[in-house]
Amino acid sequence: MSNTPMAASPLTRAVLEIDEYASGLGWDQPARLFALVDTAQLRAQEPALASQLGLEGARESSGLTPIEQDEIPAGKPLDEFLGTIAWPDAVVGCALTVERLMLPPSAEASVPQGLSEARLATWVAEHPARQEVRMTVAVLRDGSRDSALRLREKDSPTEVLTGGDLVPGLAEALSATFEE
C-alpha cells in the first residue's frame, strides 16, 4: 500500500493502508475486521506468513501489519459480533472498516421521535442530506486509537479525514475486544 504517509504513526499508517485496501474493493462492501500485528515480530516469528504477505523485503523494521479476518457474519448486529471476539497475545490491535449513512448535525433536529430502528434507518436513507461514509477505526491494546473517514461523494485519498476521536463509539467497541 504505497500511498500512506511515512511520517505518520504506525497506527495511522495501518488505518490508511486499510482505507486504501477497502477503497480498492469499491463501495457497498460488507464490514471487514483486521487483526493488527507488530511487523517485526511477524517477520521473526512467522517468516512464511510474512513472506506470503510480501513483508520479507520491506525496509521498515517497525510498524503494524493488518491481517484481514474471516468474514463478519451477515445478519448479526455488529456490536453483538464484536462482543464475541477474543484476540491472542500476538495481536497488538484491531481495526474495522464499515460503511454507514450519516446525516449532518443540522439534520438532528428534524429526526422524528419514536421510530423503530428499521423505520429510522429508512428515514435516514431517504433524507436528502444523507452522506455515505466508509469508516476505518483501529485501536491498540495500550488504548491508542485512530480512524479514517471517506465520503462516497469525495472518494479520493486526498479527501480522507483522519483522527483518533472521529468514531468514538466504534473505537470503544473495538477496545472492548481486548478486555478480559
Side-chain angles (χ1 to χ4, degrees):
M1 313 266 175
S2 59
N3 293 331
T4 58
M6 292 312 295
S9 74
L11 185 57
T12 301
R13 285 196 309 270
V15 164
L16 291 172
E17 285 176 14
I18 294 168
D19 173 73
E20 185 178 345
Y21 168 74
S23 176
L25 298 172
W27 286 87
D28 304 316
Q29 296 291 314
R32 296 178 188 282
L33 181 66
F34 299 82
L36 298 176
V37 297
D38 180 273
T39 303
Q41 282 186 329
L42 178 64
R43 276 197 219 114
Q45 296 173 355
E46 299 286 343
L49 179 57
S51 177
Q52 184 180 356
L53 294 172
L55 300 174
E56 73 279 346
R59 281 182 251 129
E60 187 180 351
S61 61
S62 66
L64 298 169
T65 298
I67 301 174
E68 188 170 3
Q69 303 301 290
D70 291 336
E71 192 171 301
I72 295 174
K76 186 167 194 168
L78 192 56
D79 58 340
E80 285 181 26
F81 171 72
L82 291 175
T84 67
I85 295 174
W87 298 103
D89 291 340
V91 175
V92 298
C94 66
L96 181 81
T97 183
V98 62
E99 296 176 14
R100 291 290 185 257
L101 293 176
M102 295 179 71
L103 293 176
S106 60
E108 285 182 26
S110 64
V111 175
Q113 299 299 311
L115 292 180
S116 69
E117 197 171 314
R119 295 280 305 138
L120 179 60
T122 300
W123 184 84
V124 170
E126 294 171 350
H127 195 283
R130 75 184 177 283
Q131 294 281 326
E132 291 179 72
V133 63
R134 181 181 303 116
M135 302 176 285
T136 303
V137 179
V139 300
L140 297 179
R141 284 185 189 269
D142 70 7
S144 303
R145 57 177 64 172
D146 210 342
S147 53
L149 294 179
R150 182 186 292 248
L151 294 174
R152 189 171 189 156
E153 74 175 25
K154 295 183 178 184
D155 193 2
S156 162
T158 60
E159 296 289 336
V160 175
L161 180 63
T162 61
D165 295 321
L166 296 177
V167 193
L170 187 50
E172 289 298 323
L174 289 172
S175 292
T177 66
F178 291 104
E179 294 174 3
E180 309 226 356

